[in-house]
């Protein structure tokens, strides 16, 4: 399915770039990647959603991919949420939000805190309030530790394989170019702003988790959590806590998947997503 590029403006008028697929009059589904990823990570989901009659929009969040970097180097959850509110306001009807990790956090705050944006549904991909602190530190540690770039794509592939030993090392390296760019010094660098993973002043994880919990409970739209049973971020206890807090939400565990659920088992992820979307009122009507 052909993709078209669309430009948006987020908070502070920052330039944001997205891919679109599917019928222009379809229900919009806004796909939000995780930290350190780009809109290219949603390729299979874009094709499936577009073929299913949805208008799929995969956004490069600020500081990632082809979107602009924050001029002051600050990347707070509030900024990502405000960007989302600005983008969603351009659609002719409330979008379905599908947020992985960082994208899920932005979705919770945008839809659950004032000024609440209207959402037709919210899908969280391996992210919950009260996420595992150790797992988050591992993710950020890998991002910081590889910020100096790589001499070759093969070196990058080796670093990824060491970080995610549960996945087979890819035979082809051209796919890495979606998330890496070669600069003038000849080295390959992640396609995101290094400032994104710098320590932030006043970062209080407990306070943030309380905000996320309150925001999640304030959302009236149907919700789905898809999480990996081997996730470093969403533990069994975290998923159980989510179920208890939001008994009306659907929860689908993906057996053996880690934090990168869609990448670990894309078929299972898409199956859970499409099955949930088919239960929404506008689809069932």
């Amino acid at each position: 399915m052909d993709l078209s590029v669309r430009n948006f403006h987020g908070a502070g008028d920052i330039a944001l770039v997205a891919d679109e697929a599917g019928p222009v009059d379809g229900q919009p589904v806004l796909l939000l990647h995780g930290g350190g990823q780009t809109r290219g990570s949603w390729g299979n989901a874009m094709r499936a959603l577009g073929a299913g009659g949805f208008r799929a929009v995969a956004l490069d969040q600020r500081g990632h991919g082809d979107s602009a970097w924050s001029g002051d180097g600050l990347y707070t959850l509030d900024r990502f949420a405000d960007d989302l509110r600005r983008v969603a306001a351009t659609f002719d009807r409330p979008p379905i939000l599908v947020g992985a990790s960082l994208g899920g956090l932005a979705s919770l705050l945008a839809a659950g805190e004032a000024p609440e944006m209207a959402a037709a549904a919210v899908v969280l991909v391996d992210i919950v309030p009260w996420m595992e602190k150790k797992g988050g530190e591992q993710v950020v540690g890998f991002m910081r530790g590889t910020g100096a770039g790589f001499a070759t794509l093969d070196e990058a592939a080796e670093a990824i394989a060491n970080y995610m030993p549960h996945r087979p090392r890819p035979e082809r390296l051209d796919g890495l170019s979606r998330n890496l760019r070669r600069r003038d010094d000849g080295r390959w660098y992640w396609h995101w702003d290094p400032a994104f993973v710098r320590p932030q002043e006043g970062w209080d994880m407990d306070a943030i988790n309380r905000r996320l919990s309150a925001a999640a409970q304030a959302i009236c739209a149907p919700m789905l959590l898809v999480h990996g049973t081997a996730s470093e971020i969403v533990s069994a206890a975290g998923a159980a806590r989510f179920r208890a807090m939001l008994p009306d939400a659907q929860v689908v565990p993906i057996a053996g998947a880690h934090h990168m659920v869609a990448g670990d088992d894309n078929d299972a992820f898409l199956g859970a997503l499409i099955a949930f979307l088919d239960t929404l009122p506008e689809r069932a009507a």
Side-chain angles (χ1 to χ4, degrees):
M1 176 171 292
D2 292 335
L3 301 179
S4 59
V5 176
R6 181 173 173 183
N7 296 307
F8 294 95
H9 287 91
D13 215 33
I14 193 169
L16 305 174
V17 179
D19 285 334
E20 290 187 317
V24 294
D25 59 349
Q27 164 66 47
V29 179
L30 185 53
L31 298 151
L32 302 155
H33 61 74
Q37 296 182 313
T38 70
R39 69 188 193 274
S41 62
W42 296 112
N44 291 326
M46 293 282 284
R47 286 186 286 272
L49 291 168
F54 294 96
R55 185 62 171 175
V57 181
L59 182 72
D60 272 342
Q61 299 194 77
R62 69 165 58 216
H64 293 73
D66 294 320
S67 290
W69 294 4
S70 291
D72 57 7
L74 295 181
Y75 292 94
T76 64
L77 289 180
D78 292 284
R79 287 193 174 183
F80 288 108
D82 287 341
D83 290 341
L84 176 50
R85 292 183 179 103
R86 288 280 301 271
V87 171
T90 66
F91 299 132
D92 61 1
R93 67 189 111 162
I96 296 165
L97 304 179
V98 180
S101 198
L102 170 66
L105 299 178
S107 297
L108 287 175
L109 294 186
E113 284 191 342
E116 298 93 340
M117 59 161 282
V122 177
V123 178
L124 303 176
V125 185
D126 209 71
I127 196 67
V128 292
W130 304 103
M131 67 201 83
E132 293 300 309
K133 182 179 179 181
K134 183 177 179 181
E137 291 172 345
Q138 290 175 346
V139 173
V140 173
F142 172 75
M143 295 173 70
R144 288 175 179 165
T146 57
F150 308 95
T152 64
L153 287 179
D154 190 71
E155 182 181 311
E158 187 66 23
I160 295 170
N162 290 334
Y163 176 62
M164 295 188 291
H166 62 283
R167 282 198 200 179
R169 193 178 187 277
E171 296 181 4
R172 295 173 58 88
L173 302 179
D174 49 346
L176 285 174
S177 61
R178 289 198 303 264
N179 289 325
L180 291 164
R181 292 292 185 274
R182 198 172 193 176
R183 296 185 188 167
D184 292 341
D185 62 2
R187 293 179 64 80
W188 294 86
Y189 295 87
W190 296 117
H191 204 28
W192 41 264
D193 184 357
F196 170 68
V197 292
R198 289 177 189 159
Q200 301 282 331
E201 286 188 17
W203 183 263
D204 184 339
M205 201 64 221
D206 286 342
I208 290 170
N209 283 328
R210 287 192 292 271
R211 283 184 63 189
L212 293 169
S213 295
Q217 293 175 83
I219 295 173
C220 298
M223 295 184 68
L224 166 68
L225 166 65
V226 182
H227 71 95
T229 61
S231 171
E232 304 83 355
I233 300 295
V234 180
S235 65
R241 187 171 187 170
F242 182 87
R243 285 180 183 271
M245 183 174 66
L246 298 168
D248 292 332
Q250 295 188 37
V251 179
V252 178
I254 304 298
H258 290 244
H259 183 49
M260 304 296 184
V261 172
D264 285 351
D265 194 338
N266 190 68
D267 289 343
F269 164 69
L270 286 178
L273 175 62
I274 298 301
F276 170 73
L277 297 184
D278 284 342
T279 68
L280 299 180
E282 56 270 27
R283 297 288 282 183

